Structure formats: structure tokens, C-alpha cells
Amino acid sequence: MTNTTSVTAREIDEAFLSLENVAKRTPLECDHYLSLKYDCNVYLKREDLQWVRSFKLRGAFNAINALSKEAQQLGITCASAGNHAQGVAFTAKEMDLKAVIFMPVTTPNQKISQVQFFGGDNVEIVLTGDTFDACLQEALAYTKAHDMNFIDPFNNVNTIAGQGTVAKEILEQSQSLDVEFDYLFSAIGGGGLISGVGTYFHEKSPKTNVIGVEPLGAASMHASIQKGEVVTLESLDKFVDGASVGRVGDITFNIAQKVIHDYIQVDEGAVCSTILDMYSKLAIVAEPAGALSVSALEQYKDQIKGKNVVCIISGGNNDINRMKEIEERSLLYEEMKHYFILNFPQRPGALRQFVNDVLGPKDDITKFEYLKKSSQNTGTVIIGIQLKDHNDLEQLLENVNAFDNRNIYINENKMLYSLLI
């Protein structure tokens, strides 16, 4: 009988058999660029190439397949920021089941349309709540009221076992490549993937260090580990939508304590830089959660030198409409883009003076908003400046202060940035 609070490698092996004709066996590739960059052997497990462009299909199918035929006919529900929803939708259509899928209102349109595509007429989508956790409460209430079956995205042993099949594939593929991994990096959202993968490596490859990676603004697993119990984050940065979970599962928390060797938190801006780097250098379109594992390599660069490393690219469902925001957050993180509120003299030649006295020869003005007021000697300006080299920041700040010592540096005020930029 399946234990409802833990998962074993044997159960993951069984899940692998159930997924044999459903999930794609995704590639495990040694990446030349990352290997040279970090002076080690970096392999990428390409779950972004899964049928639904994420690993979530594995857990969703295994959890639904584990239900009795009678339970399946009652219909299934789920709450998801997108990838789990696609896995449930794919499975519902594959098994001809009714599915009601709850998604946060903030879910990117690309993921919503993909859920509808994979589920077709078998799926009804309900958009509710600003966060995953608010969406989850609505889904659970609906499930109870309609006597359906809730397919948890992570806090379910059958879901976890399904996600763990990624590890089984990695180890099988590594044997054919004749490589043993010293480190494995995997994203953490609710903890389903890391729990399954960590469990399998703990039993089958205990020498491998399993490193869990979370976005800095949604590090709910790390917070729980530090507290010694599952905690709910008071605030949440939802940018890395596939891994922005305010509260991890009780089951995943208990498993993670036993199988994860270290936890890393990555700034959302660093994730954006990684997304752009992976696109330009590797031709991989990763979603924010999918880039987390690669983002973590920078923090571990000293430990991984000369080692064999595998990063799970957990998803590739990136909305193209978000690329402008991704580029912006990357530039802010890299200290290349800076915004100020300045008092500008209301006289001819003031802008020319600013350009000559403040900007360096390679600096560029990317934003300029100014409203002239005839009754005042100065006018308020919102200005954006992009540097060619982030090392020029100190000189820029010095020049701006010399031009207007009452200026406001917007980068340091998140609320003001959100309002004005």
C-alpha cells in the first residue's frame, strides 16, 4: 500500500512504467557554453521539451492514473499557475475525463491558451485569485461542493512520484554517457519536483549533492526549513510564476528535509539575466522557473569547478509579451539602467547642459518625461539612463548629485518605480 507521507525509488520506478507511452523522454545534453563559463561539465535535462513544455505532465498523469476508474469518472480539478494545469489538461483529454482547472488571474495569457489547447472540450478554465494560494482555496471549495477529485500540484505522493521520474531518466541517460553527477540543481516551487528527484538520487546516487533553488521573493521552502516547520510567506514576488508559492506542501517539506543538501535563493533580476543569456547563447527559451537551476550556478561557481553538474530546465512556457519586462529587470539587476527624478532649470539649453555634464560618452537616455510650468524656475523630470558599463554607476551618481542635490533615485524605491516606470 502506498505511504501517504513519503515516496520511495520503487514507487518512482512504477510511475515511470505508467508514463512510458505518455511522457516524452527528454534529452540530457552537455552544454559547451555553460561548461566553459563555470569550468566544469554542465548537463541540461531538457524538460522544457516535454509535450506540455514542462515536467508537470509526469506528476499530473501519475496522480490521475492512480485514481480508481469510479473516481476518475467523477471528474478532476486542480489549481495551478499554468504548467501543472497543462499536465492535467493533457491527461484529461488523453483519458477522456472532465476537468475544471483553476488558475490565478495573474497567469500569463500564453499559459491559459495552452491549457485550453491541450484540454480541448474536456477542460473548463476558471480564473480566480491574485496568487496561487488564493486560487487554491477556491479550487478546494469547488472540489468539495461538486464531489470531484483534486489533483494537487505537489502535495501528493503520486504527483511527487511522477515528478521523480525525471531523476530516473537522468540516471539512465548518465550511464550511457558514462558520467556520474556530483551536483544536481533543481527549482523549488511547492516542492514536488525536488522531493521526487531528491528521493530518487538519495537512494540511487547518494554521492550527488541535490541543490534546491528558489526565487528570492518566494523562498517558502527555505523559510520553512529555517523555521523547522511549514510557514506561509507574508509577502510574495510573483514574477517567477511557476515557482512563486507562498506555502510548500507538508509532504514535500518532510521529504525535502531528508534529501536536499542545500538551498539557494536567486534574485528575480538574476533569473531574467539568465533567461536572456540562455536565449542568446544556448537558443533555449526558458520560463523564469525553468531558468532557476542555471541561475544558481553563479553562486556555486567555486564548488562546481571540475565537477559534473546537471541542471533541470523545468519549463519553457514563457510568454513572449513578458520579454520587455524580463530585459528591464535584468538591466536593473546588472546595474545598467537607472531612473531619477530631477529638478530641471526651465531655460533653453538645460538638457544640453545635462547631457554634457552628467552623461558619460557611452551613456544613453532611455526615458525623459518633462512638463514645463511657466510659473516656476524649475520643472520636474523623470529620466532613465542606461550605462554601457555598470562600473560607471558611481560617477553617474556623483554627476547627478552635482546637477541636482535634491534628486530622487527611483531604483531604490520599489513603490515609486512601480508607479512611475
Side-chain angles (χ1 to χ4, degrees), residues 408-421:
I408 300 173
Y409 185 34
I410 299 177
N411 289 47
E412 295 179 339
N413 190 318
K414 286 188 176 181
M415 186 177 294
L416 202 57
Y417 176 86
S418 298
L419 177 66
L420 299 177
I421 310 301

Side-chain angles (χ1 to χ4, degrees), residues 284-296:
I284 295 176
V285 181
E287 64 181 275
L292 274 173
S293 60
V294 175
S295 296

Side-chain angles (χ1 to χ4, degrees), residues 91-157:
T91 303
K93 189 171 183 180
E94 183 81 9
M95 301 178 70
D96 195 21
L97 305 176
K98 176 187 176 184
V100 181
I101 295 176
F102 291 77
M103 306 179 77
V105 176
T106 54
T107 303
N109 288 330
Q110 186 265 355
K111 289 189 176 182
I112 297 171
S113 63
Q114 284 295 100
V115 170
Q116 196 66 70
F117 169 76
F118 286 118
D121 295 335
N122 293 77
V123 166
E124 176 188 349
I125 298 174
V126 178
L127 300 178
T128 181
D130 291 332
T131 66
F132 167 78
D133 300 278
C135 175
L136 173 62
Q137 295 308 312
E138 290 287 336
L140 291 174
Y142 181 94
T143 304
K144 184 177 180 180
H146 292 80
D147 195 27
M148 298 175 76
N149 299 277
F150 182 74
I151 308 302
D152 199 287
F154 47 82
N155 204 40
N156 177 305
V157 291

Side-chain angles (χ1 to χ4, degrees), residues 34-303:
L34 292 173
S35 296
L36 285 176
K37 182 177 181 179
Y38 293 107
D39 192 21
C40 62
N41 300 310
V42 179
Y43 290 77
L44 304 180
K45 179 58 173 170
R46 298 291 306 278
E47 282 298 292
D48 58 304
L49 299 178
Q50 191 54 257
W51 297 121
V52 298
R53 295 211 291 266
S54 91
F55 71 95
K56 289 286 190 175
L57 170 60
R58 299 171 182 269
F61 182 88
N62 194 57
I64 295 169
N65 189 56
L67 296 172
S68 67
K69 296 297 182 183
E70 294 77 10
Q72 289 176 1
Q73 293 308 309
L74 293 173
I76 53 179
T77 66
C78 77
S80 169
N83 288 339
H84 177 62
Q86 292 184 42
V88 171
F90 185 98
T91 303
K93 189 171 183 180
E94 183 81 9
M95 301 178 70
D96 195 21
L97 305 176
K98 176 187 176 184
V100 181
I101 295 176
F102 291 77
M103 306 179 77
V105 176
T106 54
T107 303
N109 288 330
Q110 186 265 355
K111 289 189 176 182
I112 297 171
S113 63
Q114 284 295 100
V115 170
Q116 196 66 70
F117 169 76
F118 286 118
D121 295 335
N122 293 77
V123 166
E124 176 188 349
I125 298 174
V126 178
L127 300 178
T128 181
D130 291 332
T131 66
F132 167 78
D133 300 278
C135 175
L136 173 62
Q137 295 308 312
E138 290 287 336
L140 291 174
Y142 181 94
T143 304
K144 184 177 180 180
H146 292 80
D147 195 27
M148 298 175 76
N149 299 277
F150 182 74
I151 308 302
D152 199 287
F154 47 82
N155 204 40
N156 177 305
V157 291
N158 293 310
T159 303
I160 294 168
Q163 320 299 35
T165 61
V166 174
K168 180 175 175 63
E169 280 189 15
I170 290 173
L171 288 179
E172 286 187 354
Q173 291 166 319
S174 68
Q175 288 179 1
S176 63
L177 295 169
D178 193 25
V179 59
E180 293 184 354
F181 290 113
D182 301 293
Y183 290 92
L184 178 142
F185 291 84
S186 174
I188 301 178
L193 176 63
I194 197 76
S195 296
V197 168
T199 294
Y200 205 80
F201 268 83
H202 182 71
E203 293 190 38
K204 301 293 186 178
S205 181
K207 71 179 287 290
T208 304
N209 292 284
V210 178
I211 314 299
V213 191
E214 295 178 281
L216 185 62
S220 51
M221 182 66 82
H222 182 247
S224 298
I225 294 295
Q226 285 191 314
K227 185 77 172 178
E229 62 184 27
V230 178
V231 301
T232 302
L233 298 181
E234 294 181 1
S235 61
L236 197 68
D237 187 327
K238 296 175 286 187
F239 176 76
V240 185
D241 51 292
S244 295
V245 177
R247 183 182 177 88
V248 299
D250 298 323
I251 300 173
T252 59
F253 170 72
N254 290 330
I255 296 174
Q257 292 183 92
K258 304 169 187 174
V259 301
I260 300 179
H261 297 85
D262 195 12
Y263 301 85
I264 291 180
Q265 299 79 52
V266 180
D267 188 283
E268 283 74 10
V271 175
C272 292
S273 295
T274 300
I275 291 171
L276 297 174
D277 201 38
M278 290 175 69
Y279 176 73
S280 62
K281 301 292 198 309
L282 315 180
I284 295 176
V285 181
E287 64 181 275
L292 274 173
S293 60
V294 175
S295 296
L297 296 181
E298 190 64 28
Q299 294 185 40
Y300 248 77
K301 60 185 177 183
D302 293 331
Q303 295 95 315

